[in-house]
Amino acid sequence: AGIGLLIIIAILIPILLIFVIPSNGGGPTIDSTRDRNEHNSSLIRANKLVQKLETEVLCRGATFQEIDSDDPRRLALDWITNDDKMSLDLDAKNLNQRYILA
């Protein structure tokens, strides 16, 4: 009985290693790393955009943190950060205009 159990274990372990356990050991995949990098890049861009608009567009030292979430200025920031298909570069000449018109 002991030898039979060892034979079964000897057969099952390679099968499990080959077919059940992922080859990357369950660690991060290229896709998950790429998604995380894209997310980080988006956050960095959003933070830079907030700083730029606070400095160049908002009046009298106002910040987006002070503005209510349903304020049109905040909604415009949300749109230009998350939904704007043009996704202009931060140094684009018409970025401020696009925000103001949003």
Side-chain angles (χ1 to χ4, degrees), residues 15-98:
I15 291 172
L16 289 173
L17 290 174
I18 293 171
F19 295 106
V20 177
I21 300 173
S23 62
N24 66 5
T29 63
I30 292 172
D31 288 337
S32 68
T33 301
R34 185 180 317 121
D35 291 344
R36 186 173 51 250
N37 289 342
E38 287 175 8
H39 177 73
N40 289 341
S41 294
S42 295
L43 288 176
I44 291 168
R45 182 185 185 279
N47 287 333
K48 288 181 179 180
L49 179 60
V50 165
Q51 291 172 353
K52 176 182 174 58
L53 294 174
E54 285 177 346
T55 303
E56 298 177 9
V57 179
L58 294 184
C59 297
R60 297 178 294 280
T63 66
F64 285 105
Q65 287 181 321
E66 301 168 342
I67 299 173
D68 291 335
S69 61
D70 60 346
D71 185 290
R73 296 170 294 175
R74 187 73 176 264
L75 296 172
L77 174 67
D78 182 56
W79 175 79
I80 206 165
T81 303
N82 300 310
D83 300 321
D84 185 9
K85 301 300 182 215
M86 286 187 72
S87 191
L88 295 175
D89 289 334
L90 295 176
D91 58 350
K93 292 179 182 178
N94 58 345
L95 178 64
N96 291 353
Q97 294 170 344
R98 191 158 178 81

